[in-house]
Amino acid sequence: MASSAACRNGAPRGGGGGARSLAGGNLRSSSYKSRPSQLPGSTLRRSSTGSFAAAGDDGVPGRVRVAVRLRPRNAEEMVADADFADCVEVQPELKRLKLRKNNWDSDTYEFDEVLTEFASQKRVYEVVAKPVVESVLDGYNGTVMAYGQTGTGKTFTVGHLGDGDTASRGIMVRAMEDILADVAPETDSVSVSYLQLYMEAIQDLLDPTNDNISIVEDPKTGDVSLPGATLLEIRDQQSFVELLSIGEAHRIAANTKLNTESSRSHAILMVHVKRSVVSQDDTLSIENGNSSHFVKPLRPLIRKSKLVLVDLAGSERVHKSGSEGHMLEEAKSINLSLSALGKCINALAENCAHVPVRDSKLTRLLKDSFGGTARTSLIVTIGPSPRHRGETASTIQFGQRAMKVENMLKIKEEFDYKSLSRKLEIQVDKLIAENERQQKAYEYELERMNQEAQNRIAEVERNFAEALEKERLKCQMEYMESVKKLEEKMLTNQRKHGSDGIIRNGCNGEDQVVSVSDEVAEVRKLLQNETQRRKASEEEVNKLNTRMGQLMQSEAGGDGEILRIHQLLEVETQKKKKLEEEVMILKSQLLQLSYEADQSRRYMERVGSGNGLNGTDSPSVNNGEKAPVGTLFEQVGLHQILSYLESEDANVQIHAVKVLANLAAEEANQEKIVEAGGLTSLLMLLRKFEDETVRRVAAGAIANLAMNETNQELIMTQGGITLLTMTAADAEDPQTLRMVAGAIANLCGNDKLQMKLKSEGGIKALLGMVRCGHADVLSQVARGIANFAKCESRAATQGTKNGRSLLIDDGALPWIVQNANNEAAPIRRHIELALCHLAQHEVNAKEMISGGALWELVRISHDCSREDIRSLARRTLNSSPTFRSEMRRLRID
């Protein structure tokens, strides 16, 4: 038989037609239905030799695939049927078989695969089960089931352990080998349950004491589960084979005329596979002077799939099997469950509106396998003996009907919040540790360079002082020696002159004058020499001064080095600030994901318990757990968050303003935000930013702060209404307009700001935003008008306001009348309240009558869904003389 590549996930390989069934029932030997042509397909990651999922493809991805396996004659049949030919003739190359009626007539049937009596266990596994196992590893549910008369080899095909001969291993053992070889032990898990359905009772083969397991069906998804069954995780093939041995020892079997070890129960092996996969995502580049990469976290997913391997008990006829007593009751139970399965297959094959899956526990367990979301393969086993031709024909008919059943394949994926949270925590810790290491390295390098510069300066100063001191001492010594020589010379001359006067007492005055002149000349010569030495000393001092200047220049060069170091430190400080901003982004993402995961977990718990949302459940975090934004507020600090609003990175600014908006939503944080300058920062963002996201979130934060009366006056004082008006005129995004309208609507509820709102264009800005047409924006506009009208009504009642309504002056009345009967309930309710409040001031009555508001008031007094608004409208109409007169004129009751 030619080999062909397996088709993963049940995708069609060929270009066959869209026919639902592969064969059209019984065909005469002289005329049979031809198979659709096959087209070559692409080979995927895993392939199966001779896979009937590919070779027998008919363009229907989820159709149940059916193979038929012929058992060879046993010893009894060789003796009893020696004179008779086999009733079955197989043609594997054409994927069909003939069932003989007599010597000259036969019925021909076509299957996805036909396996002869010589087919090996490996061949059977690769053809029947391996494509299903591959689909399970890709995330789909799968079922492999053996059906046939007792004694035709179902248990050998599916559950044989192959202890003495590895080549005889069945589908269960080979399927687990492929699963364990493909999964990753670090991230994936495989667990099994082994059950038997005996006398309509589900029993645990791994725990015989658990002999009555109930079936639980999810009311929403319809998935069937057995929470009471033993579920054991499998790490290696040896432990799995041991579990199968234990289960087989507990399975009920008996000796009948047709089979010495006839299974008296349906064996069901459930293999649960959980695999972790990662979705593709982009990489974010951040420029920090040096280009670095900040990797955005990937999205981990968990795929959960289930492989169900079913070894059905054999159908039998009592007069042939010889069952009696308790074995007779077992046979009845087996035949009833197989009959219920056949009815379900018939109903699905004929597209009946009702499928009787609840007639038997077997059909309930196999609900997903036939007509569900699993990929299903069925192997029907038959024998060659003509004595059992009726049973063989019934088995073949069952397989033919099963081929008409179509399933809708579906992958079950769940977002792995815990894995992503762990990865983000690890990434944050690594960034923090790297930041600390770099900070320590920078501080150490700065300290070393400062110390080195100080040592060099001290050494230069010390060398200069020593050289200057040596030169000074040298000059001083030379000067002292010169003076000493002069004194000795003078003493010598004096002694000489004194002796000459005694000896030469008679010399004349001319000789004395000559002697004195010579002495004066010698002294002058000595003075000249001393002067030259002094000049030489001065020159040496000048040289020292020059050298000192050079040393001072060298010191100035050291200052330049220190300046360069300071510049490097400023660059590193900027890098540190960038890292802190990245850490802040990661923390906010981590806390947001943790918050979403916690909300999802709480929602699933509520749905699982069947309670739904009640008065005590809310999206907020309780039970002593702090909200993620509050936790970020404590960890980072309000002033740090406000500083991020001035960051050069747009992503950091967006995250910071979002955090500030979430903080402003809690009344306890509003006073701290205003005191720290948060309101001023938000108004600055609204003034200078053109980014739509920043403006939207900043307007939302201002709207949160505007719920407090003190903050409302601060917003007006700092020009907030002008900024909101400008934003309302420029913005086109509905969400931005909704935030701006919400902020102005909150300000409209303050009695002290009425004139300020009108003079700065607040009312006209509110009316201008109706151009958007978005229901949420219109609801905020209606709320603002209702708040404004209520404040005016209260002021008129207290006598502090006279004259016509400012809303009417700014042209709001036509829009109010037009939307008084709006389809959206929130808009209609606010407009109805606004009309009632405007009508309470008598001076507005004439304008309202001419504008058509009277008819809307009458409608509200009769048809409004809220009793309080109906009563308010009736009181207003009855208390106004102008309205009563007009109603009498128009004859309105």
Side-chain angles (χ1 to χ4, degrees):
M1 181 178 296
S3 300
S4 60
C7 179
R8 182 194 275 185
N9 301 345
R13 286 176 52 89
R20 178 164 179 167
S21 64
L22 185 65
N26 295 358
L27 298 175
R28 306 293 296 180
S29 59
S30 58
S31 174
Y32 60 90
K33 185 175 180 180
S34 62
R35 299 176 58 85
S37 60
Q38 300 292 321
L39 294 178
S42 60
T43 302
L44 301 179
R45 173 172 60 89
R46 296 187 292 271
S47 64
S48 301
T49 303
S51 170
F52 77 98
D57 186 75
D58 57 357
V60 184
R63 182 177 63 78
V64 175
R65 308 293 168 174
V66 182
V68 61
R69 185 182 193 186
L70 177 63
R71 172 180 59 76
R73 285 192 177 191
N74 55 32
E76 180 184 353
E77 291 172 345
M78 287 182 179
V79 175
D81 300 333
D83 297 333
F84 300 95
D86 291 346
C87 68
V88 177
E89 177 187 350
V90 295
Q91 297 175 335
E93 66 280 357
L94 300 178
K95 298 187 184 343
R96 67 187 183 188
L97 63 83
K98 292 183 178 182
L99 181 63
R100 291 193 179 94
K101 293 182 179 180
N102 45 48
N103 292 334
W104 58 88
D105 195 9
S106 63
D107 291 334
T108 300
Y109 300 92
E110 188 174 302
F111 288 91
D112 292 301
E113 194 68 40
V114 175
L115 301 168
T116 68
E117 64 269 30
F118 305 108
S120 65
Q121 290 283 75
K122 180 179 179 181
R123 167 69 177 161
V124 172
Y125 169 73
E126 290 180 345
V127 165
V128 176
K130 191 167 185 177
V132 178
V133 173
E134 291 175 350
S135 295
V136 170
L137 291 172
D138 289 331
Y140 296 90
N141 289 341
T143 302
V144 178
M145 187 172 66
Y147 178 90
Q149 183 190 8
T150 181
T152 53
K154 297 183 299 302
T155 302
F156 177 78
T157 300
V158 176
H160 192 65
L161 300 182
D163 295 333
D165 182 11
T166 57
S168 65
R169 292 169 300 163
I171 290 176
M172 289 182 179
V173 179
R174 295 177 185 270
M176 184 55 68
E177 285 181 352
D178 283 355
I179 291 174
L180 293 177
D182 196 79
V183 299
E186 299 82 6
T187 58
D188 305 338
S189 66
V190 180
S191 54
V192 300
S193 297
Y194 198 15
L195 313 165
Q196 70 174 354
L197 179 60
Y198 176 69
M199 300 287 287
E200 282 301 302
I202 301 176
Q203 301 176 357
D204 197 332
L205 291 176
L206 302 180
D207 182 11
T209 59
N210 190 7
D211 58 359
N212 192 13
I213 301 173
S214 59
I215 300 175
V216 177
E217 186 172 344
D218 192 323
K220 290 188 175 180
T221 63
D223 293 340
V224 174
S225 61
L226 302 170
T230 302
L231 189 65
L232 299 178
E233 187 170 356
I234 302 299
R235 291 289 183 181
D236 55 80
Q237 183 70 10
Q238 183 60 34
S239 61
F240 173 70
V241 174
E242 292 175 358
L243 286 177
L244 283 185
S245 300
I246 295 172
E248 287 298 320
H250 294 148
R251 189 175 178 187
I252 299 174
N255 184 5
T256 67
K257 292 180 180 180
L258 297 178
N259 191 356
T260 57
E261 293 184 3
S262 175
S263 300
R264 314 308 290 171
S265 65
H266 307 297
I268 303 168
L269 177 69
M270 293 185 177
V271 183
H272 300 269
V273 181
K274 183 187 294 185
R275 309 198 70 180
S276 297
V277 295
V278 179
S279 65
Q280 298 294 329
D281 216 329
D282 299 330
T283 300
L284 225 29
S285 292
I286 299 177
E287 296 298 331
N288 288 334
N290 296 328
S291 64
S292 64
H293 292 283
F294 172 55
V295 180
K296 190 175 180 180
L298 301 178
R299 293 174 55 82
L301 301 174
I302 292 179
R303 286 182 178 173
K304 296 181 179 179
S305 56
K306 180 174 67 175
L307 173 62
V308 180
L309 302 174
V310 185
D311 176 18
L312 294 174
S315 61
E316 61 183 56
R317 294 185 178 179
V318 176
H319 69 277
K320 290 185 178 182
S321 64
S323 300
E324 58 184 12
H326 185 67
M327 289 177 57
L328 179 60
E329 296 300 322
E330 292 175 341
K332 290 180 180 178
S333 177
I334 293 171
N335 289 337
L336 283 174
S337 60
L338 293 177
S339 175
L341 178 61
K343 291 179 181 178
C344 291
I345 297 294
N346 290 341
L348 290 170
E350 295 173 4
N351 288 326
C352 293
H354 173 67
V355 180
V357 293
R358 295 190 173 273
D359 288 356
S360 170
K361 289 187 178 180
L362 177 62
T363 54
R364 292 185 65 190
L365 288 174
L366 298 179
K367 178 181 178 182
D368 191 49
S369 304
F370 293 97
T373 61
R375 181 173 184 176
T376 301
S377 290
L378 172 67
I379 179 167
V380 294
T381 58
I382 59 176
S385 175
R387 291 184 298 152
H388 304 301
R389 186 190 178 283
E391 290 84 345
T392 301
S394 176
T395 302
I396 292 173
Q397 291 292 343
F398 180 88
Q400 289 285 291
R401 288 190 293 269
M403 291 176 67
K404 299 179 182 180
V405 178
E406 298 177 13
N407 294 343
M408 298 297 293
L409 307 184
K410 183 176 67 176
I411 291 180
K412 183 177 181 181
E413 290 182 343
E414 296 178 358
F415 189 80
D416 191 0
Y417 287 99
K418 293 183 179 179
S419 175
L420 181 58
S421 177
R422 286 194 300 270
K423 289 180 181 178
L424 285 173
E425 287 177 353
I426 292 172
Q427 192 172 357
V428 169
D429 292 339
K430 286 182 179 179
L431 285 173
I432 293 175
E434 181 65 23
N435 184 27
E436 291 179 352
R437 283 195 295 270
Q438 291 184 3
Q439 181 67 21
K440 290 291 184 182
Y442 298 153
E443 292 177 356
Y444 174 77
E445 185 67 17
L446 175 62
E447 185 178 357
R448 185 187 66 78
M449 297 181 72
N450 283 335
Q451 188 65 34
E452 184 178 350
Q454 290 177 3
N455 292 339
R456 290 178 60 186
I457 293 172
E459 183 179 359
V460 170
E461 291 178 348
R462 185 168 59 253
N463 293 338
F464 176 74
E466 290 178 355
L468 189 62
E469 182 65 19
K470 287 179 180 179
E471 193 63 31
R472 187 183 66 79
L473 290 175
K474 180 180 178 181
C475 293
Q476 187 176 0
M477 293 298 294
E478 290 178 353
Y479 179 76
M480 293 298 293
E481 288 178 359
S482 299
V483 172
K484 186 177 181 180
K485 288 180 180 180
L486 286 173
E487 288 179 350
E488 291 177 351
K489 191 77 172 178
M490 290 179 66
L491 290 174
T492 303
N493 289 334
Q494 287 178 3
R495 285 196 296 270
K496 183 178 179 182
H497 291 317
S499 60
D500 288 344
I502 295 172
I503 295 172
R504 299 176 182 177
N505 200 12
C507 291
N508 54 25
E510 185 177 352
D511 293 334
Q512 292 179 359
V513 171
V514 172
S515 177
V516 171
S517 297
D518 294 338
E519 184 177 354
V520 170
E522 187 175 358
V523 170
R524 284 180 178 176
K525 185 177 180 180
L526 291 173
L527 285 174
Q528 289 176 356
N529 294 336
E530 185 65 25
T531 302
Q532 291 176 357
R533 289 179 179 178
R534 177 59 60 88
K535 288 182 179 179
S537 298
E538 289 178 354
E539 290 177 357
E540 186 67 25
V541 169
N542 290 334
K543 289 181 180 178
L544 289 173
N545 287 332
T546 303
R547 185 179 176 187
M548 182 176 179
Q550 294 175 351
L551 292 174
M552 293 299 291
Q553 290 179 357
S554 176
E555 180 180 357
D559 292 337
E561 183 71 16
I562 293 174
L563 181 60
R564 187 180 66 81
I565 293 171
H566 281 294
Q567 291 175 350
L568 289 175
L569 285 175
E570 289 178 359
V571 173
E572 297 300 336
T573 302
Q574 292 178 356
K575 291 182 179 179
K576 176 186 175 183
K577 185 176 179 182
K578 287 290 185 181
L579 285 174
E580 290 177 350
E581 292 172 349
E582 292 176 7
V583 170
M584 186 263 185
I585 292 174
L586 286 173
K587 282 184 175 180
S588 64
Q589 291 179 349
L590 172 61
L591 293 169
Q592 186 66 26
L593 285 172
S594 300
Y595 176 75
E596 293 176 358
D598 182 72
Q599 293 301 309
S600 298
R601 177 179 60 80
R602 293 175 182 277
Y603 174 76
M604 293 304 296
E605 289 177 356
R606 290 194 294 269
V607 172
S609 63
N611 293 332
L613 289 174
N614 52 36
T616 59
D617 293 334
S618 65
S620 62
V621 179
N622 50 19
N623 298 329
E625 298 176 357
K626 296 183 178 179
V629 175
T631 304
L632 185 64
F633 173 60
E634 293 179 359
Q635 292 179 357
V636 179
L638 181 58
H639 290 284
Q640 186 68 23
I641 295 173
L642 292 177
S643 68
Y644 288 145
L645 295 177
E646 301 176 0
S647 173
E648 298 177 358
D649 193 326
N651 289 331
V652 174
Q653 289 177 336
I654 291 173
H655 277 84
V657 73
K658 286 182 178 179
V659 170
L660 192 61
N662 290 331
L663 288 172
E666 299 180 11
E667 188 175 358
N669 300 328
Q670 292 182 358
E671 183 177 356
K672 296 178 183 178
I673 293 173
V674 173
E675 290 177 356
L679 177 58
T680 304
S681 300
L682 290 170
L683 292 174
M684 289 296 294
L685 288 176
L686 208 59
R687 177 181 291 110
K688 67 181 183 179
F689 266 83
E690 296 180 359
D691 185 84
E692 198 66 29
T693 303
V694 174
R695 291 205 303 176
R696 179 175 67 253
V697 180
I702 293 172
N704 290 337
L705 293 175
M707 290 187 293
N708 183 284
E709 185 175 352
T710 305
N711 297 338
Q712 292 172 355
E713 296 180 4
L714 289 175
I715 291 172
M716 296 296 292
T717 304
Q718 298 183 23
I721 187 61
T722 302
L723 293 174
L724 291 171
T725 301
M726 294 170 59
T727 305
D730 296 340
E732 295 296 333
D733 179 56
Q735 297 304 320
T736 304
L737 292 174
R738 181 173 68 87
M739 297 298 181
V740 174
I744 297 177
N746 289 338
L747 295 174
C748 287
N750 193 321
D751 296 339
K752 302 176 183 178
L753 307 179
Q754 299 282 297
M755 293 302 299
K756 192 78 172 176
L757 279 167
K758 182 183 187 313
S759 62
E760 294 188 12
I763 299 175
K764 291 185 177 180
L766 205 60
L767 294 172
M769 283 184 281
V770 302
R771 71 182 184 277
C772 172
H774 196 277
D776 292 340
V777 178
L778 298 181
S779 178
Q780 294 298 326
V781 172
R783 184 172 68 89
I785 290 175
N787 289 343
F788 199 95
K790 183 177 181 181
C791 290
E792 282 191 327
S793 174
R794 186 164 50 241
T797 303
Q798 295 172 354
T800 58
K801 174 177 174 53
N802 296 316
R804 193 171 61 174
S805 169
L806 299 178
L807 289 173
I808 297 176
D809 289 343
D810 278 352
L813 185 59
W815 187 83
I816 294 174
V817 173
Q818 181 182 355
N819 289 272
N821 197 18
N822 195 288
E823 294 180 355
I827 300 175
R828 185 174 64 253
R829 176 171 55 85
H830 289 309
I831 294 300
E832 289 172 347
L833 283 172
L835 278 174
C836 292
H837 289 308
L838 286 174
Q840 287 180 340
H841 197 25
E842 185 68 17
V843 73
N844 298 328
K846 292 183 178 180
E847 294 290 338
M848 295 183 70
I849 291 172
S850 62
L854 175 60
W855 294 102
E856 292 300 331
L857 284 171
V858 173
R859 181 192 59 78
I860 293 169
S861 66
H862 289 85
D863 301 333
C864 182
S865 59
R866 288 182 48 173
E867 177 61 29
D868 56 341
I869 299 178
R870 288 202 308 271
S871 301
L872 180 61
R874 284 194 290 268
R875 289 198 307 271
T876 302
L877 291 173
N878 293 331
S879 61
S880 171
T882 305
F883 284 136
R884 289 201 308 271
S885 174
E886 183 66 13
M887 291 171 65
R888 284 194 300 269
R889 188 182 70 83
L890 296 175
R891 298 180 181 178
I892 298 174
D893 295 331

